[in-house]
Each structure stands twice: as structure tokens, then as C-alpha cells.
Amino acid sequence: MRYTTVIDISELQALYRNKNARLVYLHLALKSGYHDDDRDTISVSIRSLARDADVSVSAVRHALLQLEKNGLLQHDGERWRVKKWILDTTPTPRPKKEQAKDVTNAGQMVQRRDAEAEQYARKQEAAIAACTREELTRWIAELEEGRSLRHRGVSIKASENNINYMKSVLQTK
């Protein structure tokens, strides 16, 4: 005993309503070869097919004609080639692994951006801590006027948070 594949021919209503065509297709699909040299082919006469399927010879001829017309069967000289599957022409969906990589890349980008922001904040704190009391006083005045500062490769924007931070550093000096 072995397994085989067959096409769901119930979608081909004209063919599926014909009981003899269904029976002949199923019989040919089950009896066709499965080795490399005879895969999906069968060499059988119409009379022996009629005898094996218990159908009349004219019914077998009509069934073979209908199966050929619908593309499920091909006649190659002495052999019949049975079509057991149809290649799907619809595009396959993208693999989920690729999407996971995109999410991972986005996560890495966020981590890198956060690390760079943290490093810049440390650099900004170090630049402010290295300033003298007079420089801090002058810088606070400039920030309160709305001008941004640049010191030791660090820019300090005129914001309420930066002004308050520099005032707190000035009080500790």
C-alpha cells in the first residue's frame, strides 16, 4: 500500500458530475507509477481500463476525452500522464523571519540612538562641570536670552531644563 496525491476535481463541475470521469481519473491516479522513471505515467489499454474500473469502453473513451480537455490527463504515445497537482500561480507571502529581522533592526536602531543620546548627555555634563563659576554665570545669561551655546564640542540649547541644571551646578561651585 502507498500514498498518492490527486487534484480536487470537485471545482470542475462538468467533470465532477460525470461519475465515470471521476472514477477513471481516480483509478489512473492510483495506478500510475511512482518511481523516477515512470512517475505519474501509466501504460494501459482502453479495454483493460474499462475492465479494471468496471465501466463500459465508450464511457472510458468519453471520460479520457473529458480529462484531456480539462488538462488532467495527457496521452504520450502508449502512455497516459496523469496530472496530480497544479502549481499555484499566486505569489507566496513573505516569510515572517524577514519581518522579524526588520523588527530586530528597528530595535537595534532605537538602542543605538538611546546609547548615543546618553553618551552625548554625559559629554554635556562633563563640559558644564569643567567650566568656571564666571563662565557658568555668563552662559546662564546667554541661555536666558534665548541663545544656544557651544562648548567643548557640545551644544547646549536654550531651554528651561538646561538653565535650571546650570543654575544647580553653579550653586555647587
Side-chain angles (χ1 to χ4, degrees), residues 25-42:
Y25 173 70
L26 185 60
H27 181 76
L28 290 172
L30 293 174
K31 293 297 181 178
S32 63
Y34 56 93
H35 298 99
D36 288 339
D37 58 334
D38 67 345
R39 187 176 314 268
D40 299 337
T41 61
I42 184 169

Side-chain angles (χ1 to χ4, degrees), residues 156-170:
I156 302 170
K157 295 190 174 151
S159 71
E160 196 67 38
N161 288 340
N162 287 339
I163 294 170
N164 291 335
Y165 176 73
M166 291 181 87
K167 283 181 180 179
S168 68
V169 171
L170 182 63

Side-chain angles (χ1 to χ4, degrees), residues 41-58:
T41 61
I42 184 169
S43 180
V44 65
S45 69
I46 292 176
R47 289 189 188 277
S48 63
L49 185 57
R51 185 186 65 241
D52 292 343
D54 197 26
V55 179
S56 70
V57 173
S58 64

Side-chain angles (χ1 to χ4, degrees), residues 105-144:
N105 289 342
Q108 289 173 349
M109 287 174 55
V110 168
Q111 287 177 344
R112 186 176 33 213
R113 187 184 65 219
D114 291 346
E116 288 173 357
E118 188 177 324
Q119 183 181 8
Y120 190 78
R122 275 191 247 119
K123 195 174 181 183
Q124 195 175 31
E125 288 174 4
I128 292 171
C131 293
T132 63
R133 195 170 170 76
E134 294 77 28
E135 286 176 316
L136 281 175
T137 308
R138 187 171 33 102
W139 288 358
I140 291 171
E142 287 181 23
L143 289 174
E144 287 175 339

Side-chain angles (χ1 to χ4, degrees), residues 5-7 25 39-40 82-87:
T5 58
V6 292
I7 295 174
Y25 173 70
R39 187 176 314 268
D40 299 337
V82 183
K83 192 174 223 179
K84 293 183 180 180
W85 64 83
I86 298 174
L87 295 176

